[in-house]
Amino acid sequence: DVKVTQSSRYLVKRTGEKVFLECVQDMDHENMFWYRQDPGLGLRLIYFSYDVKMKEKGDIPEGYSVSREKKERFSLILESASTNQTSMYLCASSLLGTGGTEAFFGQGTRLTVV
Amino acid sequence: QKEVEQDPGPLSVPEGAIVSLNCTYSNSAFQYFMWYRQYSRKGPELLMYTYSSGNKEDGRFTAQVDKSSKYISLFIRDSQPSDSATYLCAMSRAAGNKLTFGGGTRVLVKP
C-alpha cells in the first residue's frame, strides 16, 4: 500500500518560532510537493522538488523554505512562524514523467500559530 | 483572477441523484485534468484523470473535458451518502508536473 506520511497531524506553535514539517514517502517517487489548503482557496503550491537537493518555488513560497537531503524525505520549514501561516499543510509525491499523473497525498498537518 | 475556478458549494442532493461538478480554467497549456476527492480530515485522493479533451467513465463517475471552452466536468450517478466529500479539480501541463487546483466543491448527499 502506497504511503505518504506526515510527521504530525496537529501542531500549535508560537509566533516567531522556527517550525519543521516532515514528510516521508515509501514509493521511490522523484517528485515531492508541499501545498497549503485554506477554505475557499483550495490547494496552493508552496515548493516542490523533482530530485534530491533540487527545489523549485511554487506559487506562494514567501516565508517558507524546504530541504530534500534524501529521496524519500521532504521537509518544509517556516523560518519565523506568523499567524497568517495557520493552515492545513499537505505533502504529496508523484513519479516523474509519463507515470506521474497521480499525486499521492499525506493526511495533512493542521498548524495553528498563536 | 485564479487560474482555475470552481464553485465552492455546498451542493446538497438527495441520495440517488446525479451530482454535477465543474471547473473553468484560463491556461490553455493545461493538458492533464484530474478530479480528487477529499474526505474530512483526510488528504485528497485521485478519482479520475483525463488527458486532453474527451470523456472518461469509471463506474458511477464520468469526467468530461472541453479544451475549446476551457471547461471540465465530473458527474456522479446514483449518488450515495458515502460520496459526501469535497471534490477538487486539478490540472497540469505535463504528466508528473505540478498541479494547479480549484478551490473545491463541498458535496453533501442526504439519505
Side-chain angles (χ1 to χ4, degrees):
Chain A
D1 196 19
V2 297
K3 213 164 186 181
V4 178
T5 303
Q6 296 182 228
S7 53
S8 304
R9 290 295 303 274
Y10 301 95
L11 274 179
V12 180
K13 296 292 182 180
R14 295 195 181 277
T15 300
E17 276 194 78
K18 192 169 186 176
V19 181
F20 293 86
L21 303 183
E22 306 287 344
C23 175
V24 177
Q25 51 98 0
D26 64 1
M27 296 166 281
D28 201 33
H29 284 169
E30 293 87 0
N31 293 334
M32 295 190 75
F33 308 86
W34 275 107
Y35 291 88
R36 63 177 281 178
Q37 185 174 26
D38 300 288
L41 297 177
L43 278 73
R44 292 180 292 167
L45 183 64
I46 304 171
Y47 267 97
F48 66 101
S49 168
Y50 53 88
D51 201 355
V52 175
K53 296 193 185 296
M54 303 300 289
K55 60 185 179 184
E56 296 282 344
K57 292 181 180 179
D59 300 317
I60 51 165
E62 296 78 17
Y64 304 93
S65 62
V66 290
S67 172
R68 192 161 181 207
E69 296 296 320
K70 294 185 178 181
K71 188 176 185 179
E72 67 271 18
R73 186 178 296 269
F74 194 34
S75 303
L76 180 69
I77 303 152
L78 286 66
E79 298 291 343
S80 177
S82 63
T83 54
N84 62 13
Q85 293 178 309
T86 292
S87 187
M88 170 71 86
Y89 290 87
L90 288 160
C91 174
S93 71
S94 70
L95 286 168
L96 192 66
T98 56
T101 306
E102 180 170 6
F104 294 87
F105 283 84
Q107 295 280 61
T109 297
R110 185 165 294 281
L111 173 68
T112 302
V113 182
V114 298
Chain B
Q1 188 184 358
K2 294 179 190 175
E3 266 192 302
V4 180
E5 297 278 359
Q6 186 176 5
D7 189 323
L11 183 61
S12 183
V13 300
E15 184 175 353
I18 295 175
V19 176
S20 175
L21 304 166
N22 58 75
C23 290
T24 59
Y25 63 96
S26 57
N27 190 340
S28 58
F30 289 136
Q31 296 282 352
Y32 289 82
F33 303 91
M34 285 140 276
W35 287 95
Y36 280 80
R37 178 176 61 195
Q38 185 177 23
Y39 291 116
S40 181
R41 290 185 290 277
K42 300 280 189 181
E45 55 181 354
L46 183 69
L47 265 181
M48 297 184 71
Y49 80 90
T50 309
Y51 171 67
S52 195
S53 285
N55 294 357
K56 189 171 185 178
E57 190 171 316
D58 184 3
R60 297 184 295 114
F61 299 89
T62 300
Q64 292 182 349
V65 175
D66 182 351
K67 288 190 70 181
S68 63
S69 301
K70 296 190 181 68
Y71 186 90
I72 71 169
S73 302
L74 177 72
F75 300 97
I76 308 173
R77 291 183 299 280
D78 187 26
S79 58
Q80 305 294 311
S82 58
D83 294 326
S84 298
T86 296
Y87 291 80
L88 298 145
C89 63
M91 308 174 187
S92 69
R93 298 179 186 186
N97 209 340
K98 61 178 183 174
L99 298 176
T100 300
F101 282 85
T105 300
R106 195 158 68 91
V107 172
L108 179 61
V109 180
K110 295 183 177 179

